[in-house]
Amino acid sequence: MALERTLTIVKPDAVAACHIGDIIKIFEANHFTLVAARLVRLTKKEAEGFYAVHRGKGFFESLTTFMSSGPALVMVLEGERVIARLRQAMGATNPDQADPGTIRKLYAQNIERNAVHGSDSPETAAFEIGYFFPGVELI
Ligand code: IDP
Ligand code: MG
């Protein structure tokens, strides 16, 4: 089974609530290998570019304002089937529907301020990793 890479973000709500360590602890417990990390404060335009697939949806304006509201920790994780396994560890988008023990069940405030991002496919992961780590030779 080939190694995959995925892009994850500890979103501004979880950074502000001091859950960076808690969330990385879950990544480590799942044996996701950290291969790159950056603490960023997105501009509104950068948040809009990252979430371009959601442009036109009712939550787009609020989401991109939230994502540019404070520091966020962007990371690349590597592992076998890491894209799907990260999504599993994250839990459902809406924390009310997230399974017990998932990051969003534990730390999300609501469907928008939901603590963490994870790429949803190999194609999305390639776009999202390139968005934050352009041309960088990852470890
Ligand atoms: P995902 O993060 O679980 O992949 P997406 O549907 O890709 O969920 O949505 C991207 C982000 O947009 C979510 O993580 C959440 O922050 C926000 N979002 C999604 N749906 C809603 C909604 O119905 N209301 C408010 N915010 C939403
Ligand atoms: Mg998504």
Side-chain angles (χ1 to χ4, degrees):
M1 181 78 189
L3 289 180
E4 288 178 343
R5 285 180 172 177
T6 194
L7 193 284
T8 186
I9 306 177
V10 179
K11 294 185 179 183
D13 60 320
V15 173
C18 299
H19 290 312
I20 289 176
D22 298 317
I23 291 169
I24 290 180
K25 207 165 182 59
I26 292 173
F27 293 165
E28 291 182 335
N30 280 278
H31 304 290
F32 303 153
T33 303
L34 181 61
V35 295
R38 282 179 65 197
L39 188 71
V40 299
R41 168 83 190 249
L42 296 181
T43 64
K44 182 78 156 59
K45 288 250 174 305
E46 287 168 336
E48 289 171 1
F50 180 73
Y51 278 120
V53 65
H54 293 301
R55 190 178 286 279
K57 292 186 185 163
F59 59 80
F60 183 74
E61 179 61 28
S62 177
L63 169 64
T64 53
T65 297
F66 157 57
M67 287 299 291
S68 55
S69 67
L73 183 63
V74 184
M75 292 172 278
V76 178
L77 302 175
E78 186 177 81
E80 289 188 4
R81 296 183 50 252
V82 70
I83 296 171
R85 290 173 58 225
L86 172 65
R87 296 288 307 194
Q88 190 98 42
M90 286 163 52
T93 307
N94 184 344
D96 294 342
Q97 286 152 21
D99 289 337
T102 60
I103 293 167
R104 283 166 165 171
K105 178 58 91 182
L106 288 166
Y107 304 121
Q109 297 172 28
N110 55 50
I111 192 171
E112 177 178 280
R113 301 172 69 87
N114 60 1
V116 69
H117 169 85
S119 308
D120 64 6
S121 71
E123 295 71 28
T124 310
F127 166 76
E128 293 179 350
I129 291 169
Y131 196 82
F132 285 109
F133 301 94
V136 173
E137 187 64 30
L138 299 177
I139 294 164

